[in-house]
Amino acid sequence: MEMGSLHFVGLVGMLDPPRAGVKEAISKLNASGISIKMITGDARETAVSIARSLGLGKGKKGQEDIEVMSGEQIESMSPTEMSRNAPHVSVFYRTTPKHKLRIIQALQQAGEIVAMTGDGVNDSVSLKRADIGIAMGKSGTDVSKEAADMVLVEDDFSTIVAAMEEGKAIFYNICNFIRFQLSTSVAALSLIAFSTLLNFPNPLNAMQILWINILMDGPPAQSLGVEPVDPDVMKRPPRTVSAPIITKDMVGKVALSAAFILCGTLWIFWREMQDNIITPRDTTMTFTCFVFFDLFNALTSRSQTKSIFQIGLFSNVPFLYAVGGSILGQMLVIYFGPLQKIFQTEALSLEDLVLLTSLAASVWLVDEVRKALLRRTAASRAAPVVDKMTHV
């Protein structure tokens, strides 16, 4: 059949569109400071079209700014050139498996933490090389699943966002737990040390110290680990892998809380010791004061930046049960006869409880003021940046 005898009947176009939810997931990841890159074997036109539909390469003012690089360009670049250019590229087209490996190595050389998704046998080397390899559970090969660190059971890209949210929430909850533990421990040790230096009698007996340790390591502390995920957690930029958990900022918060707990408890002990004779009432007041400080300190540790009224006073139900149980236990210790003998305590009046509660609440109030100032400072710093970006 000669070509000239053929008649044009029509044109058929085929499209393999991105899955539902991918564009929204990419937008959420971009907002959190995570750069998304597409590596494909398709032609440039196809790759750029898909990238545009997903919102990749959004520049300033929301304008499209898609930087592309071909497999041939990757071949011609040295490792130094690749590490300098790869972070700015959104789409790599006409690539082979060895190009994927070079891209990952270049990004890592540039100081990036790299996560890669893949499903084929030829992706296994790159999945293994990436800091976080993510394989597809349904369409992925057994080799890719073995090489990956994480497997998406439903092959849903948006699952990565949920995993990151959970991971960030766990990390920040660990920070909250550490802050509470350190501030309470520093305050307890300092209380004994300063009492000795000031020639005060021991303000707490062994059973009371044991009870405080139970509160430090028990329900209130454990409930901080199940704090619900903050809706704004994905807006926080990724932390560097070498960044320590205990930062200077955390040390400052620990020192501030511990100082208030120490000063308040010592003041109560000094106030009750005016007659220079230590009595069960003196130690009961000091003991209860420290316990109340401990519980309010746990309340402040629920979030490092947000007010308790922003995250919700009742959002962490286990925390409420833990604090409620601790208060009930403390009341039994100072009002229940058999426990009074064990802990060497005596009943306190309502006025005493009001005084101790008001004083212990100071550690929470001061931290609320600190958080408010921090938010105001962050807002004032962000305003000029937005203005500058608008006029670029």
Side-chain angles (χ1 to χ4, degrees), residues 113 168 171-172 175 236-247:
I113 305 299
K168 285 192 172 187
F171 173 77
Y172 288 118
C175 291
R236 303 181 188 180
R239 56 185 290 271
T240 57
V241 68
S242 59
I245 293 181
I246 302 177
T247 61

Side-chain angles (χ1 to χ4, degrees), residues 25-262:
I26 289 176
S27 176
K28 201 169 186 178
L29 290 171
N30 284 332
S32 66
I34 298 171
S35 176
I36 307 297
K37 303 182 184 302
M38 185 172 71
I39 307 175
T40 178
D42 291 332
R44 174 179 178 141
E45 292 76 11
T46 303
V48 171
S49 175
I50 296 296
R52 285 201 180 101
S53 68
L54 293 175
L56 288 178
K58 288 289 184 181
K60 296 173 182 178
K61 299 183 181 180
Q63 296 176 347
E64 290 180 352
D65 185 23
I66 300 177
E67 293 285 341
V68 298
M69 183 182 292
S70 67
E72 291 183 356
Q73 290 174 301
I74 295 174
E75 290 280 1
S76 63
M77 288 186 182
S78 66
T80 303
E81 290 175 321
M82 271 295 295
S83 65
R84 185 171 61 249
N85 293 294
H88 308 292
V89 177
S90 300
V91 177
F92 298 89
Y93 66 96
R94 290 299 188 200
T95 59
T96 63
K98 66 177 183 179
H99 294 150
K100 296 179 182 179
L101 184 60
R102 284 205 62 190
I103 293 167
I104 292 174
Q105 291 172 332
L107 291 171
Q108 290 174 330
Q109 187 177 347
E112 304 286 351
I113 305 299
V114 183
M116 176 185 167
T117 60
D119 56 7
V121 175
N122 57 2
D123 293 325
S124 57
V125 176
S126 299
L127 289 171
K128 195 71 176 178
R129 173 67 185 185
D131 297 288
I132 306 170
I134 306 171
M136 302 296 115
K138 287 184 177 179
S139 61
T141 61
D142 291 337
V143 176
S144 65
K145 295 176 188 177
E146 287 292 330
D149 301 293
M150 183 170 74
V151 178
L152 303 182
V153 177
E154 300 296 330
D155 290 7
D156 187 357
F157 185 81
S158 61
T159 306
I160 298 175
V161 179
M164 291 187 62
E165 286 180 340
E166 193 65 29
K168 285 192 172 187
I170 291 173
F171 173 77
Y172 288 118
N173 285 348
I174 290 174
C175 291
N176 295 340
F177 175 84
I178 292 175
R179 177 196 169 184
F180 172 69
Q181 289 280 292
L182 287 178
S183 57
T184 306
S185 299
V186 169
L189 293 173
S190 300
L191 178 63
I192 304 301
F194 275 91
S195 297
T196 303
L197 291 174
L198 296 174
N199 292 322
F200 286 171
N202 195 341
L204 303 171
N205 60 47
M207 290 302 297
Q208 292 169 353
I209 293 175
L210 179 60
W211 176 256
I212 291 173
N213 285 333
I214 292 174
L215 291 182
M216 285 168 51
D217 301 324
Q222 299 300 321
S223 64
L224 291 175
V226 294
E227 187 71 29
V229 177
D230 184 352
D232 295 332
V233 71
M234 288 300 291
K235 295 180 181 178
R236 303 181 188 180
R239 56 185 290 271
T240 57
V241 68
S242 59
I245 293 181
I246 302 177
T247 61
K248 292 181 179 179
D249 183 57
M250 179 183 287
V251 171
K253 296 172 185 174
V254 167
L256 181 64
S257 297
F260 266 86
I261 296 172
L262 173 63

